[in-house]
Amino acid sequence: MSRSGSHSHRVRWWCLIVAVVAVWVQQVEGVWPLPQQLHQSADRDCLSPQRFSFTYGRDSAAQTGCSVLDAAFKRYFSIIFPDFTTLSGLLMPENELSNDVVLMFVVADTLSVSEGQAVLRSVSVWGALRGVTSCLLSLLFFYFINKTEIVDFPRFAFRGLLLDTSRHYLPLYAILKTLDAMAYSKLNVFHWHIVDDPSFPYQSRTFPDLSNKGAFHPFTHIYTQSDVIRVIEHARMRGIRVVPEFDSPGHTQSWGKGQPGLLTPCYKGSVPSGSFGPVDPTVDTTYKFMASLLKEVKFVFPDSYVHLGGDEVSFACWQSNPNVRKFMEKMGFGKDFTKLESFYMESIMNMTAALNKTSIVWQDVFDYHERIPQDTVLEIWKGAKYQTELSRMTQAGHRVLLSAPWYINHISYGQDWRNSYAVQPQNFSGTDEQKKLVIGGEVAMWGEYVDATNLSPRLWPRACAAAERLWSNEEKTLNADLAFPRLKEFRCELLRYWKYVCNYSLSTSGLFQARCAYKTKHLVFDIFFFF
């Protein structure tokens, strides 16, 4: 099944959702992100694992054997009924269903609702997967159900989350757990900033010395090819794309340890200083290396996008190097080193295009360029005047991702999720056609002060604010005070999910402990995990 572009299809479903039960039954508060339309009735019924099953409708284009939905049914059944181990009735043929079985039909063309049944209608497998997620968000631990109609579809097609695995190595279980939480929040793109200055943990088949010499440890702090495949498959089964980033020409100090001659030698006066700067853009060997690496990336990472970076290039080392200065003179660049960076990035983007990949680059590339391939996606990370940048980029006809206001590695005291929630991605000066070029955005979790011990409490539920902004109707979700009860409940649901689905059969083991408050005045963000 194709994974590119299909996540934005319109989704409509009916589902039975458990009400939160205390002394009385009340309306469900934990649906996050907020659906486009949600109508609940007071009708309710009991939910029993012996009477619950999933099935495909006769007219459904998807049937038993669809790996994504079959796996989702089993995964969610175990979450709904964590103490029920008999799964023989999980996928029941339609002609064997009794009247008291609670169902989930996945159909392509029809919509029907009858007593004791929940019917989900979607035009794609990925939409069905999102629908199953929403329908079952509140089916944990509470065995009363109330009938609910949901009409839903995403506002933006690209709803991403960036993890930085270079500054601190993140073990595999931490990445997989993050992917699970992304799926519950309907984030659908994992931007894997896999390498950077501090370390090169990606184990390349073509250039094994990159990780052998550039990783923090060549055996314990790397991502093997099988690790990468596992991440991609885990993500695919949850409707999440994996977009890798190999950022250059800057942020490449770790690359040089395993690839001699790649980085620019810095000079002090007329002699080398012994230090190195960005990738050397003046020698042919650089482009041969990058062509080989990108060719490998194409086959390892199947997504149509690849992120090429292009940000924060320091020109001091290039300025000090006499060979670089001669190259600048030869090319007619004068002393404008932004033209040298442009020359390099244009070459790399052309390589990517030749591999039938679409480039994503940071906004610096646009700021320095006049000749960017038109299909290149630009990502805004500088926070001060991002509305102005949105106007400029879309006026030039480029698709744009917004990340600047969602750098949630920055923390502050109190409910800082409200700042993320207040962002309006299309609130800039431009035509309607320009605003359609904003294809989504990303939450960024950079790793200077984040590792596996504090990743989850830094990310969740703070990232959920951006997730709702990228999925839901903006006019219905402008009030953070109204969103607060749902976010509070959704946070508790995340804790319950992790408690029952965090066992990834890795070599690590230990005790999971969590604290969750239902009736607190303020959200509690400190989650305790021990692995």
Side-chain angles (χ1 to χ4, degrees), residues 89-114:
L90 185 58
L91 287 168
M92 187 179 295
E94 187 175 354
N95 59 3
E96 295 180 12
L97 297 172
S98 58
N99 291 332
D100 61 350
V101 177
V102 180
L103 307 177
M104 185 74 65
F105 281 101
V106 181
V107 300
D109 299 310
T110 62
L111 174 64
S112 61
V113 178
S114 59

Side-chain angles (χ1 to χ4, degrees), residues 387-405:
Q387 289 93 347
T388 301
E389 199 79 343
L390 283 166
S391 296
R392 293 176 58 234
M393 290 176 175
T394 54
Q395 189 173 27
H398 289 289
R399 291 176 295 163
V400 180
L401 294 171
L402 181 62
S403 188

